[in-house]
């Protein structure tokens, strides 16, 4: 079957570069004489028939903007096969013959469900968490890391002025990637991640050691999924004699916003082009991802069947460099 109309949607937590990616999908499709529709508010909009026509001008001026013009939503109900069938009905009613889904791990599961029902889908990994199997890096991770670095650099200024220690909580759900990389690029004394248990006493010893060595500040990066949460860690450290007093900063959703970095803009363009070309080449039920320097596709079944965890080699590196 020759595809004449495709749709594109952004799903799950927004991540910087989604707009640039929508633009790339739309313009690649238009250059192959396809018609393109946007699905508003992710799987919720898909089930409720919220489609808009997208032309070249509709995606003009969005390349550098954070967020997503198509908006996004959490819609756990999509796990229900009745919702999935309703989505198929809406896609058919709008004459859509292929769908590009830009989103995170949960979004790829939705994509796999549609694929299993026989609908042509291609996924694009986009999530600041970098917890998606099948791509070295997901869209938005680089920008989020830059945002975190800027925030921690500022926190270090005030930490040094007061000889304080800051416990900084980063996002990442159950994956410590974002925290671990932040720890390395910001020179944290210690990084706590879900993949590596650590006792509060060991953290206290590292902080105390930093104090004795004459450091005027200490930065502890804590991933949101770590077994010792930021607030609990502060409570414990307050009771131990480390030399520093502690403050907690939860970076929260600022990590998801902002203009995409140069790296993310380029990745968005490459993913967007590859996704449409993959659909047109007749490949279905796959996600495009970055493997080494190349964009390659991997079956969604594979993507969804694996959990991506932070690489503990970076943990070792972070500890070593914190001396
Ligand atoms: O998946 C991206 C993410 O920002 C996670 O890091 C975080 O746990 C979650 O989304 C927060 O979700 P919400 O914005 O729906 O509260």
């Amino acid at each position: 079957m020759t595809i004449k109309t495709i749709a594109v949607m952004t799903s799950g937590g927004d991540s910087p570069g989604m707009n640039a990616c929508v633009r790339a999908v739309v313009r690649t499709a238009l250059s192959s004489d396809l018609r393109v529709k946007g699905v508003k508010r992710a799987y919720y909009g898909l089930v409720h028939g919220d489609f808009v026509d997208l032309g070249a001008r509709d995606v003009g001026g969005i390349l550098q903007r954070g967020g997503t013009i198509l908006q996004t939503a959490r819609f756990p109900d999509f796990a229900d096969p009745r919702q999935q069938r309703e989505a198929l009905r809406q896609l058919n009613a709008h004459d859509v013959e292929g769908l590009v889904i830009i989103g995170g791990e949960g979004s790829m599961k939705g994509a796999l469900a549609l694929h299993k029902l026989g609908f042509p889908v291609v996924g694009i990994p986009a999530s600041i968490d970098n917890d998606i199997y099948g791509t070295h890096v997901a869209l938005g991770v680089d920008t989020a890391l830059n945002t975190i670095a800027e925030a921690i650099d500022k926190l270090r200024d005030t930490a040094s002025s007061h000889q304080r220690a800051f416990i900084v909580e980063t996002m990442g759900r159950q994956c410590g990637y974002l925290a671990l990389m932040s720890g390395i690029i910001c020179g944290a004394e210690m990084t706590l991640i879900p993949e590596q248990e650590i006792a509060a006493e060991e953290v206290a010893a590292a902080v105390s050691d930093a104090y004795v060595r004459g450091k005027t500040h200490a930065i502890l990066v804590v991933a949101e999924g770590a077994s010792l949460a930021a607030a609990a860690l502060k409570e414990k450290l307050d009771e131990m004699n480390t030399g520093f007093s502690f403050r907690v900063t939860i970076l929260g959703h600022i990590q998801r916003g902002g203009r995409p970095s140069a790296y993310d803009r380029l990745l968005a363009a490459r993913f967007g082009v590859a996704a449409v070309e993959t659909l047109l080449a007749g490949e279905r039920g796959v996600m495009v991802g970055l493997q080494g320097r190349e964009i390659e596709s991997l079956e969604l079944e594979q993507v969804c069947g694996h959990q991506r965890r932070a690489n503990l080699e970076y943990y070792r590196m972070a500890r070593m460099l914190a001396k």
Side-chain angles (χ1 to χ4, degrees):
M1 179 186 77
T2 320
I3 293 180
K4 291 192 225 50
T5 304
I6 66 161
V8 57
M9 73 185 202
T10 51
S11 171
D14 58 337
S15 72
M18 278 184 162
N19 277 328
C21 198
V22 169
R23 171 183 178 272
V25 168
V26 171
R27 296 213 174 149
T28 306
L30 293 176
S31 76
S32 290
D33 296 324
L34 301 180
R35 276 182 305 148
V36 192
K37 293 180 191 262
V39 182
K40 303 288 300 272
R41 290 178 295 158
Y43 288 100
Y44 178 87
L46 187 60
V47 167
H48 292 86
D50 200 354
F51 291 71
V52 287
D53 289 326
L54 290 177
R57 294 283 64 75
D58 297 310
V59 292
I62 65 167
L63 170 68
Q64 75 287 5
R65 282 168 52 192
T68 160
I69 59 160
L70 292 177
Q71 298 185 285
T72 182
R74 304 278 187 205
F75 189 54
D77 289 0
F78 197 71
D80 181 344
R82 282 173 301 185
Q83 303 282 356
Q84 295 164 11
R85 277 195 298 277
E86 182 55 25
L88 276 193
R89 202 180 69 82
Q90 291 290 355
L91 286 161
N92 289 332
H94 288 85
D95 298 322
V96 175
E97 295 143 324
L99 178 62
V100 175
I101 299 172
I102 306 167
E105 206 200 357
S107 310
M108 294 308 126
K109 289 193 176 121
L112 178 60
L114 290 174
H115 167 65
K116 282 183 172 166
L117 289 172
F119 197 81
V121 287
V122 171
I124 295 179
S127 164
I128 65 162
D129 299 342
N130 214 24
D131 59 349
I132 309 165
Y133 183 83
T135 188
H136 168 64
V137 69
L139 190 57
V141 173
D142 182 69
T143 307
L145 283 173
N146 280 294
T147 301
I148 294 168
E150 199 183 334
I152 295 183
D153 289 350
K154 287 178 178 164
L155 290 174
R156 187 185 286 101
D157 290 345
T158 173
S160 298
S161 307
H162 288 262
Q163 193 140 22
R164 280 176 177 156
F166 270 79
I167 300 171
V168 185
E169 185 185 288
T170 56
M171 281 187 163
R173 225 180 267 276
Q174 285 308 310
C175 179
Y177 181 91
L178 211 52
L180 198 45
M181 296 305 140
S182 304
I184 293 172
I185 64 174
C186 298
E189 270 57 46
M190 182 71 84
T191 305
L192 281 72
I193 55 172
E195 293 86 347
Q196 182 73 54
E197 290 262 337
I198 188 163
E201 289 70 21
E202 199 179 331
V203 181
V207 175
S208 168
D209 189 46
Y211 184 81
V212 171
R213 281 183 286 123
K215 289 205 177 184
T216 54
H217 62 262
I219 301 290
L220 308 175
V221 178
V222 180
E224 67 169 342
S227 56
L228 263 175
L233 180 64
K234 174 177 162 33
E235 232 173 79
K236 287 186 187 259
L237 292 176
D238 277 343
E239 288 164 7
M240 301 178 202
N241 184 17
T242 60
F244 289 106
S245 66
F246 293 88
R247 293 290 185 276
V248 173
T249 299
I250 295 174
L251 294 181
H253 288 79
I254 64 160
Q255 295 163 94
R256 290 228 303 251
R259 294 154 57 89
S261 63
Y263 183 89
D264 274 329
R265 294 180 197 197
L266 191 55
L267 192 61
R270 294 182 76 197
F271 278 164
V273 170
V276 175
E277 290 183 345
T278 298
L279 257 184
L280 290 178
E283 241 188 290
R284 272 102 182 85
V286 295
M287 182 189 83
V288 294
L290 187 66
Q291 307 289 348
R293 287 165 181 260
E294 307 302 325
I295 306 290
E296 283 172 17
S297 57
L298 184 68
E299 285 178 6
L300 283 165
E301 194 89 58
Q302 289 284 323
V303 173
C304 298
H306 292 85
Q307 196 183 9
R308 169 102 187 258
R309 312 303 310 267
N311 180 349
L312 290 180
E313 175 55 20
Y314 285 108
Y315 186 78
R316 193 184 68 81
M317 190 193 289
R319 293 289 303 260
M320 192 167 66
L321 298 180
K323 292 293 171 226

